[in-house]
Amino acid sequence: PQTPSQLKWEKETHEFGTIEQGKPVSYEFTFTNTTSKDVTLTNVKASCGCTATNYTKTAIKPGERGIVTATYNAAAGGAFHKTVTVMTSEENSAPKIITIKGTVKANEVPATVAPSK
C-alpha cells in the first residue's frame, strides 16, 4: 500500500484570484524534506497543456527545501482549477497533488458593426 509523501508542503493550493487572459502567471510551491533520506522529484506532471512546470531536479537532502513552479497560461476566460501531480523517490509514496486556481478575465473584443445597407 502507498503511504503519503513525507515532504512538508508550505501550501498545497494557490488561488491566483482574477488574472488576465493570455498573460502567464506562476506560483512557486515550496516544500521541506522531513525524511531521513535524500529525496528526488521523479516526475512532475500538469493536468493539461496550459500549465507548465519546473522543479528542483537535484536530490533534496533531509531538512532542505525544494520547489515546484506551476505556470498557467490562460487561453480562455472563466474559472480554472488545475492540478500538478508530484512523484518522488520515496519508497511506496503516493503521488502528491498540488492545485492552482482562479478566474480568467476574458479579453474584451470590440464588437464588429454590421455594415448598413
Side-chain angles (χ1 to χ4, degrees), residues 2-103:
Q2 290 190 322
T3 55
S5 167
Q6 295 302 300
L7 299 180
K8 174 101 178 77
W9 293 83
E10 209 168 88
K11 265 174 91 171
E12 295 176 21
T13 301
H14 178 69
E15 168 69 62
F16 281 109
T18 303
I19 64 169
E20 283 188 51
Q21 186 176 339
K23 288 194 179 165
V25 290
S26 294
Y27 184 76
E28 205 170 82
F29 290 92
T30 57
F31 62 87
T32 303
N33 179 359
T34 59
T35 73
S36 57
K37 297 179 179 165
D38 288 7
V39 174
T40 306
L41 301 184
T42 55
N43 194 358
V44 176
K45 187 162 174 32
S47 59
C48 74
C50 53
T51 306
T53 60
N54 197 1
Y55 57 94
T56 304
K57 309 277 194 298
T58 54
I60 298 117
K61 295 184 182 341
E64 288 190 353
R65 294 164 67 101
I67 59 161
V68 172
T69 304
T71 301
Y72 178 68
N73 190 354
F80 68 92
H81 181 275
K82 303 295 176 193
T83 60
V84 175
T85 303
V86 180
M87 284 166 251
T88 73
S89 61
E90 295 168 276
E91 202 171 314
N92 294 327
S93 76
K96 179 73 185 169
I97 310 281
I98 52 179
T99 307
I100 54 171
K101 59 187 181 177
T103 306

